[in-house]
Amino acid sequence: MWNISEVALQLPTSTASNRLLQPLWDHLYYQHYSQVSSPFFPVLLAFSSYFIFCAPFALLDVLGEKAPLFKYKIQKERRPTVGMMLRTLGTAVYNQLVFVLPAVLITNVVMPAPPLPAVYFLWHMVHHKNPHLYRLIHAIHHDYISPFSWSTQHLSGVELMTVGFWMWTITVFSIWMSVEDHIGYDLPYSPSHLVPFGLLGGAMAHDMHHQKPSSNFAPFFSHWDRLVGTAVTVKRTHKTVEQ
């Protein structure tokens, strides 16, 4: 019934591993294979990762100026309210229940998953350039010009399904990168500070996209925006954001 390939399970000959997470994966794979092979496991993993990654930053936003990392907040004059957080979290839960779970059922019963390439930059730019696509599909994601963690999945059902369709492979790392783009904090240990030449935009670049929606379309790396002229360079400072 399910679109799952059966494999012969053999316990590893040695439990030693030089990979940090390999023992955990071995335990899940060999002791809980029926659970991790379920088509619902990626959905649960994706949403639980999203919730875990967002929760600490939601707490920082609630604490406001009392938060120990407030000096790194990009738009200090704008703070999400509890109502805004509940609304965006509700949107994420609604999309998972109404769109994602039925899609998982249909995909695994009726057809195999198609191996499509990831072209999110072009998809994103087209939805900003076309007013009808923007209004009908993408506009809800720009309800807030000062993004915060829960706004990561504040999407229309169509966008959630389309982006998930294009991305094909959902990983915990990509979920963290998406959340980090929306947290509204330019943290000193952010991956964007580690990649040279500003090639990884991070929270600063995507925060500017929410302030100026015609710029910085790429979700993570900035080379496509630079090539087509939609990049807006931001100067990192703990006080202001300068162009």
Side-chain angles (χ1 to χ4, degrees), residues 1-13:
M1 179 178 179
W2 298 112
N3 180 31
I4 303 171
S5 297
E6 296 293 336
V7 298
L9 298 181
Q10 295 180 348
L11 291 176
T13 57

Side-chain angles (χ1 to χ4, degrees), residues 25-225:
W25 176 246
D26 287 342
H27 173 75
L28 290 173
Y29 187 78
Y30 292 107
Q31 303 300 323
H32 304 281
Y33 177 75
S34 61
Q35 287 82 16
V36 298
S37 63
S38 166
F40 298 105
F41 178 75
V43 179
L44 178 62
L45 177 64
F47 188 76
S48 60
S49 299
Y50 166 68
F51 188 91
I52 291 171
F53 291 152
C54 287
F57 296 101
L59 178 60
L60 290 177
D61 286 328
V62 170
L63 293 175
E65 296 182 2
K66 297 180 181 178
L69 300 178
F70 183 76
K71 65 180 180 179
Y72 299 112
K73 186 166 177 60
I74 299 172
Q75 299 187 55
K76 293 181 173 61
E77 72 281 5
R78 293 189 173 97
R79 287 177 52 193
T81 65
V82 174
M84 292 162 61
M85 295 182 192
L86 291 176
R87 179 192 177 203
T88 51
L89 178 58
T91 300
V93 173
Y94 174 84
N95 285 337
Q96 295 290 327
L97 294 176
V98 176
F99 296 102
V100 176
L101 289 180
V104 168
L105 290 171
I106 295 172
T107 299
N108 284 275
V109 172
V110 178
M111 61 182 181
L116 297 176
V119 289
Y120 180 77
F121 168 80
L122 293 176
W123 184 97
H124 193 187
M125 185 172 67
V126 167
H127 280 71
H128 272 271
K129 298 299 184 181
N130 186 299
H132 300 292
L133 290 176
Y134 182 83
R135 177 174 56 85
L136 295 173
I137 297 176
H138 189 58
I140 184 177
H141 187 63
H142 284 271
D143 280 351
Y144 307 103
I145 62 175
S146 179
F148 52 96
S149 58
W150 294 119
S151 66
T152 306
Q153 289 194 18
H154 186 58
L155 311 168
S156 67
V158 175
E159 177 170 359
L160 178 67
M161 298 304 299
T162 306
V163 172
F165 190 66
W166 282 111
M167 291 183 72
W168 182 36
T169 301
I170 300 176
T171 65
V172 173
F173 180 73
S174 68
I175 295 170
W176 160 248
M177 292 292 288
S178 296
V179 171
E180 198 265 342
D181 269 1
H182 291 85
I183 58 176
Y185 290 82
D186 181 32
L187 301 175
Y189 50 80
S190 168
S192 60
H193 288 282
L194 305 178
V195 177
F197 310 115
L199 291 176
L200 185 62
M204 288 288 287
H206 199 70
D207 198 281
M208 182 57 67
H209 171 71
H210 277 259
Q211 296 180 55
K212 297 187 174 184
S214 294
S215 66
N216 296 354
F217 296 113
F220 307 135
F221 293 96
S222 60
H223 59 285
W224 283 115
D225 284 302

